[in-house]
Amino acid sequence: MKLLTLNFLTCAIKTCKSAPSSFPLHPRDASLEVIETDLNLPFLKNILPRLMWDELRVITSELGLPDLPPTPPTREDLVVAAEDAAVEGEESEEEASQTAKDLHRVLLETTVKEGKLVCGNCGHEYKVLEGVPNFLLPGHLV
Amino acid sequence: MPDYLVRLVQMHESFRQAELQALADVVEVPIEFVKYEDESPFCIVRLPSDASAKAVISRSLLSQGIYELWGQGATYDALHKSVKEISNAKWAQYDSVPFRFTLDCFRGTRDNAEQREIIDSFSYLGFKGPIRMREADASFKVFEEYGGKAAGPKYAYLGRFVAASGRDAKTTYDLKKRHYISTTSMDAELALVTANMALAAPGKLFYDPFMGTGGFPIACAHFGAVVCGSDIDGRSIRGTGGSARRGQTDKFDVQDNFKQYGLESRYLGAFVSDLTNTPFRLLQHSNSASRGGYLDGIVCDPPYGIREGLKVLGSRDKLNEQERATHEGRYKDPGYIPPRKPYSFTAIQDDILAFAVATLVENGRLSMWMPTANDEDVELIIPTHPCLDIVSVCVQPFNKWSRRLLTYRRRAESEIPEGALESIKKEYEQGVRADELNDFRRKYFEGFKEFERLRQEPSTDDTNNKADDSKGVSGRWRENSGAN
């Protein structure tokens, strides 16, 4: 499971949903794997305003990944300022900036292979098996 | 705007117009339907330009191609007259380019001599360029539509080829050639159509809450979307539950399906979860800028309760203290399987709508499949939600039942009438058994008696109720044993 997914997931227990501490889920004993993929600039641009930036920073620091800047980048930060590209006209391809590459590495290339995801509110642990987290709740919690 | 002729395929009729509309929506091009009939594979639309016609059709599954309309008529005399009227200004443009002329007869045939004669009858176009059957710069086609028992065509068109459709994808994603499938995988063509209806496109984020072996996410990824999915059965995702294919015993998983098509970079991953206890973020947290949803589209084919059980987390009966304690003590064991219970069929539909409302961005789309018994045809109940517009309803009919593809659009906050959200409290089927909770399932296994009865005795009031016997042995057996 790629790290971006964690930006959308909270605890599955209904009473936890309203508690701010249930988001993000905290990775514990996680083994990570980086799988290189093609950079998808339109997707990064589209998803950027939907990211919960502070929570993303919490996760990256807990996983010991390189620190993300304290404020979220803007869409303009994702492309290299194209001054000479203007000569070619608008048709020329936009080039991804280092910011975009770093973000791509964290969100779309870093995957959680094994480990646990822990709710900050109730402490429930969700196991990750073969890269697939299990959010099914046991009988007494439904 | 010029008129274009779309050569549709003559199947999945009720999906065709909705697909073209959705494809025009994806590329944000205005489309106007001039002529469309469910019985005909020829549809005339109005589009701004050749470029937009190409953009619209290139993703289409239910058409073969799009042509600039040069003329039409019920007879060849009328067709020639119309060609001379509509398109004579364009003739000079193709005066000397390599070209070809072909014939497409729908429900009819022409032998070579006849074809030649028809093509020669257009000689007044005055093309002097070389004839090239391959890689011609301009390609013209005469379309004939036959109907009934008449010897000749009932209508004919002349079109200049603009662009081919994306129907090849149907072959690429054919289930027969897919690495890993399950018993309820949706056929590739309809999965791709579903992705089209939901406006899957580059840069977008899509989710399937009932992914199984990932057919819908793969279809969305084909059109450029980044996808993720979940299923209540983790074995189908990780691929440890066996395969639907005979003799296939090795480990196969959804990830490998994405690999097969070279779409791994668009696959975010999957998780095991139940829609009624979803881990998705349904309320907003920190930065308020992202008020609203985060998914661009949701596509799904929820379990009907026939081949795949319609179940959610929970127990049929309320757990007593001791059972609760057992679950609490055991749930961390590696072999622990959470209890599941059958669920109401109408409730799951409404749950999907409510989930879509909480997670979709404005104008995001939900496309979901729902089965229905044909005897309920009189009044099709389509689940609704005040925050969702129904975009299209497409029907795939089977013998005694059919299934529908429902497509919804998430309204913007400003479009939602005030107080509308408070009014949606509903009563669902009560009970603990699957048959009590799922009307469709009950009818399915009763062999759609009502449908049979209506068909066999259209008007008479059946007081004897003999039709109840349609299940054969068991029905008669019940009657006999009841006499005891």
Side-chain angles (χ1 to χ4, degrees), chain A residues 1-33:
Chain A
M1 187 195 53
K2 294 174 179 169
L3 273 199
L4 172 61
T5 325
L6 285 183
N7 216 264
F8 307 122
L9 300 177
T10 66
C11 187
I13 297 168
K14 281 180 183 140
T15 48
C16 276
K17 291 268 184 208
S18 54
S21 56
S22 70
F23 180 75
L25 295 171
H26 304 280
R28 198 171 291 166
D29 311 328
S31 60
L32 301 180
E33 190 181 359

Side-chain angles (χ1 to χ4, degrees), chain B residues 265-283:
Chain B
S265 64
R266 298 184 193 147
Y267 181 47
L268 274 188
F271 50 89
V272 187
S273 86
D274 162 29
L275 191 81
T276 60
N277 291 282
T278 181
F280 263 110
R281 165 155 71 74
L282 301 175
L283 303 158

Side-chain angles (χ1 to χ4, degrees), chain A residues 7-139:
Chain A
N7 216 264
F8 307 122
L9 300 177
T10 66
C11 187
I13 297 168
K14 281 180 183 140
T15 48
C16 276
K17 291 268 184 208
S18 54
S21 56
S22 70
F23 180 75
L25 295 171
H26 304 280
R28 198 171 291 166
D29 311 328
S31 60
L32 301 180
E33 190 181 359
V34 173
I35 301 165
E36 292 200 358
T37 60
D38 302 333
L39 193 131
N40 186 341
L41 201 53
F43 180 69
L44 281 182
K45 279 186 179 177
N46 190 22
I47 210 74
L48 187 64
R50 304 177 196 170
L51 290 178
M52 296 291 180
W53 192 256
D54 296 341
E55 286 83 351
L56 183 63
R57 293 188 72 224
V58 170
I59 293 171
T60 51
S61 76
E62 285 179 3
L63 288 171
L65 296 169
D67 268 342
L68 291 168
T71 52
T74 62
R75 281 187 181 168
E76 289 70 41
D77 294 338
L78 295 179
V79 287
V80 175
E83 278 167 28
D84 37 27
V87 184
E88 288 284 317
E90 286 167 38
E91 291 298 306
S92 64
E93 287 274 301
E94 286 178 315
E95 201 189 323
S97 66
Q98 192 56 45
T99 316
K101 286 174 189 162
D102 291 346
L103 206 54
H104 174 72
R105 172 54 64 109
V106 172
L107 297 176
L108 296 160
E109 291 190 328
T110 313
T111 63
V112 180
K113 273 294 179 212
E114 304 282 336
K116 290 169 196 156
L117 299 169
V118 184
C119 172
N121 187 50
C122 68
H124 191 79
E125 293 176 352
Y126 299 97
K127 264 191 202 138
V128 183
L129 191 63
E130 297 173 38
V132 180
N134 185 344
F135 288 99
L136 297 184
L137 298 173

Side-chain angles (χ1 to χ4, degrees), chain B residues 197-425:
Chain B
M197 298 287 194
L199 314 185
K204 292 189 178 180
L205 178 61
F206 271 65
Y207 170 62
D208 177 0
F210 306 95
M211 74 186 298
T213 53
F216 284 107
I218 287 166
C220 295
H222 167 69
F223 293 119
V226 171
V227 297
C228 61
S230 69
D231 201 287
I232 197 167
D233 187 354
R235 294 171 303 177
S236 80
I237 302 171
R238 292 192 303 268
T240 39
S243 163
R245 207 162 263 144
R246 203 173 151 198
Q248 187 169 300
T249 49
D250 293 346
K251 186 171 161 61
F252 289 85
D253 64 6
V254 177
Q255 181 86 35
D256 288 338
N257 273 347
F258 279 89
K259 253 183 219 155
Q260 179 185 355
Y261 301 116
L263 297 171
E264 298 143 281
S265 64
R266 298 184 193 147
Y267 181 47
L268 274 188
F271 50 89
V272 187
S273 86
D274 162 29
L275 191 81
T276 60
N277 291 282
T278 181
F280 263 110
R281 165 155 71 74
L282 301 175
L283 303 158
Q284 299 309 312
H285 292 268
S286 72
N287 48 348
S288 55
S290 55
R291 166 94 191 90
Y294 42 87
L295 297 175
D296 292 285
I298 298 170
V299 285
C300 62
D301 184 21
Y304 310 154
I306 311 290
R307 281 187 290 179
E308 204 60 71
L310 176 49
K311 290 190 171 177
V312 299
L313 290 177
S315 313
R316 281 173 198 248
D317 306 306
K318 209 170 164 7
L319 297 178
N320 62 31
E321 279 309 310
Q322 193 196 343
E323 285 166 331
R324 290 180 68 84
T326 318
H327 280 292
E328 207 164 344
R330 291 277 178 83
Y331 83 90
K332 285 187 179 172
D333 295 356
Y336 177 83
I337 296 166
R340 297 188 286 171
K341 63 176 182 190
Y343 193 56
S344 156
F345 188 59
T346 44
I348 194 83
Q349 302 181 17
D350 288 332
D351 288 347
I352 296 169
L353 298 195
F355 174 80
V357 167
T359 55
L360 282 179
V361 296
E362 284 178 5
N363 294 319
R365 288 215 176 169
L366 162 69
S367 284
M368 72 166 168
W369 286 86
M370 273 299 158
T372 179
N374 283 354
D375 59 5
E376 293 168 325
D377 232 9
V378 197
E379 202 177 344
L380 296 173
I381 302 147
I382 296 163
T384 54
H385 192 287
C387 302
L388 296 168
D389 266 343
I390 295 168
V391 178
S392 63
V393 178
C394 306
V395 186
Q396 183 190 19
F398 298 114
N399 182 17
K400 292 177 188 175
W401 62 289
S402 47
R403 58 180 176 189
R404 296 174 288 173
L405 174 61
L406 310 175
T407 302
Y408 300 84
R409 179 187 70 90
R410 171 74 161 92
R411 288 180 173 161
E413 297 301 323
S414 57
E415 294 174 78
I416 300 160
E418 223 167 296
L421 286 170
E422 281 76 54
S423 62
I424 45 166
K425 282 262 180 286

